[in-house]
């Protein structure tokens, strides 16, 4: 039995001792029934968030108004959510308000797919009013209740169906699939942060072969930020192992897509990663020296691009892979790894020239960087100063190379 369930069971027992109902629910029940690895264990209860907070020592309020409190047991988080029903969706994305209920069944009824609408008690007995287990047996994704209604309430569920197909290798049931097509347009109302979670999970999943045609046929692709701007053929042509690398490949193939990257509201790190991957590909295309590539990028970036080149169609694939391998191998042997490795300080330069600091310092450093990397100037203070004496002059506050 998974450690998470053993600890989770203690939370159920505690809630029950206090007279509340409490169950495992959602993804963990589905994954347990399928024999899959459990990521996290969610718990549903009729205890109110305030009551959950008083019962457990360590809790985090992550959305009490929606009924959710995180209970921390030895630093492991468990989401404990009060049974709830969602009423009135007017904007295709969020219930106008949530109300709590006394019955588990109402809580299960609001869940997206039958396989996700199951609960288990602390003895691991299944509560399955919507035949989720049967759906798992038939490897089928189907909505709880009428698909049109459920997708009209919250269009994100359309993208979640795609995500679960990619993760579980299930087929989407016909009524559900038809409703996805009818409501895909409403994905435009969904906050990009929510879509992105599902998109990333989709790309990280194990069964992605049929996903791109599905996204095109259902209209999902054409209603998502950034992807809607990507040409269908280009979209189909890539083999990306993450959403970030998909984005990089698409921008590399069509630079005008760059202006849609901000629509994705990615983190600075993710945006930086995309820019770097695109730049490496461009450097390869323009035949930049291996040593320059080796110096300019960090190892992880080169490794990522290498995998991307290996898995996709590029006309000079073999030579690109060789160059990237070489660039990675060369890194520890480079005389400097970064500009601050140059064996002379800014103060020493100012002293040497009897000048105040200024732009010229940065200019000298970039000249030195080039000389050390490509012209075999030794990275040693005395050698550097000798070189400077021969090659650098000062004229009206600016350096001049002789
Ligand atoms: P994972 O293993 O990736 O976490 P999961 O099934 O736990 O998969 P979550 O996104 O964590 O997926 O959601 C937890 C549960 O909450 C789901 O199993 C489902 O029952 C319910 N749920 C989540 N999002 C929605 C939604 N948009 N509409 C209805 N029910 C939802
Ligand atoms: Mg989950």
């Amino acid at each position: 039995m998974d450690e998470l369930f053993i600890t989770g069971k203690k939370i159920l027992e505690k809630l029950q001792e206090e007279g509340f109902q409490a169950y495992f629910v959602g993804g963990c029940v589905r994954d347990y029934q399928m024999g899959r690895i459990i990521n996290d264990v969610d718990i549903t209860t009729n205890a109110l968030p305030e009551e959950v907070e008083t019962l457990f020592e360590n809790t985090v309020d992550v959305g009490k108004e929606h009924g959710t409190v995180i209970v921390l047991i030895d630093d492991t988080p468990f989401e404990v959510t009060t049974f709830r029903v969602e009423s009135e969706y007017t904007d295709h994305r969020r219930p106008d308000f949530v109300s709590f209920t006394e019955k588990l069944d109402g809580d299960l009824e609001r869940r997206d797919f039958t396989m996700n609408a199951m609960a288990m008690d602390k003895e691991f007995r299944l509560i399955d009013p919507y035949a989720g287990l049967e759906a798992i047996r038939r490897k089928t994704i189907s909505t709880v209740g009428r698909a049109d209604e459920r997708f009209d309430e919250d269009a994100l569920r359309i993208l979640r169906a795609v995500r679960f197909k990619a993760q579980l290798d299930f087929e989407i049931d016909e009524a559900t699939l038809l409703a996805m097509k009818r409501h895909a347009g409403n994905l435009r109302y969904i906050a990009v942060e929510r879509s992105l979670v599902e998109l990333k999970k989709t790309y990280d999943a194990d069964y992605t072969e049929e996903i791109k045609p599905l996204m095109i046929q259902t209209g999902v692709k054409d209603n998502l930020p950034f992807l809607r701007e990507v040409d269908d053929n280009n979209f189909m042509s890539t083999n990306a192992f993450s959403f970030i690398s998909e984005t990089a490949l698409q921008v590399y193939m069509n630079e005008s897509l760059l202006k849609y990257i901000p629509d994705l509201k990615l983190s600075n790190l993710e945006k930086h990663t995309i820019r770097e991957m695109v730049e490496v590909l461009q450097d390869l295309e323009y035949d930049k020296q291996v040593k320059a590539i080796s110096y300019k990028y960090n190892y992880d970036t080169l490794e990522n691009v290498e995998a991307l080149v290996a898995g996709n169609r590029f006309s000079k694939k073999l030579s690109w892979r060789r160059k990237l391998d070489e660039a990675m191998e060369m890194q520890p042997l480079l005389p400097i790894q970064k500009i601050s490795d140059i064996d002379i300080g800014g103060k020493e330069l100012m002293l040497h020239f009897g000048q105040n600091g200024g732009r010229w310092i940065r200019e000298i450093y970039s000249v030195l960087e080039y000389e050390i990397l490509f012209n075999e100037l030794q990275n040693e203070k005395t050698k550097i100063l000798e070189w400077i004496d021969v090659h650098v002059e000062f004229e009206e506050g600016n350096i001049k190379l002789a």
Side-chain angles (χ1 to χ4, degrees), residues 280-281 283-284 290 293-294 297 299 301-310 317-331:
V280 178
L281 291 168
D283 284 351
L284 289 165
V290 172
I293 292 177
S294 174
Y297 302 101
Y299 190 89
T301 305
L302 296 175
E303 201 174 36
N304 265 333
V305 176
E306 211 275 335
L308 213 56
V309 171
K317 182 170 168 143
L318 275 180
S319 92
W320 286 15
R321 288 190 67 184
R322 218 168 27 238
K323 278 189 171 184
L324 289 165
D325 285 338
E326 239 180 277
M328 285 187 272
E329 272 170 39
M330 194 184 283
Q331 276 186 339

Side-chain angles (χ1 to χ4, degrees), residues 252-268:
Y252 168 70
M253 289 194 286
N254 175 4
E255 258 188 277
S256 72
L257 290 172
L258 207 53
K259 60 177 174 293
Y260 301 109
I261 295 277
D263 298 354
L264 291 168
K265 297 199 184 161
L266 298 168
S267 70
N268 287 336

Side-chain angles (χ1 to χ4, degrees), residues 18 22 34 57 67 90 93 101 119 172 177 183 195 215 218 245 269 277 311 334 348-349 355 388:
E18 301 293 328
M34 292 181 68
E57 221 160 89
T90 45
R93 49 182 171 176
T101 166
I172 298 171
L177 189 63
H183 297 276
S195 302
M215 284 175 73
T218 48
S245 44
L269 178 66
M277 291 173 96
L334 293 175
E348 288 164 303
L349 287 171
Q355 299 281 339
I388 283 178

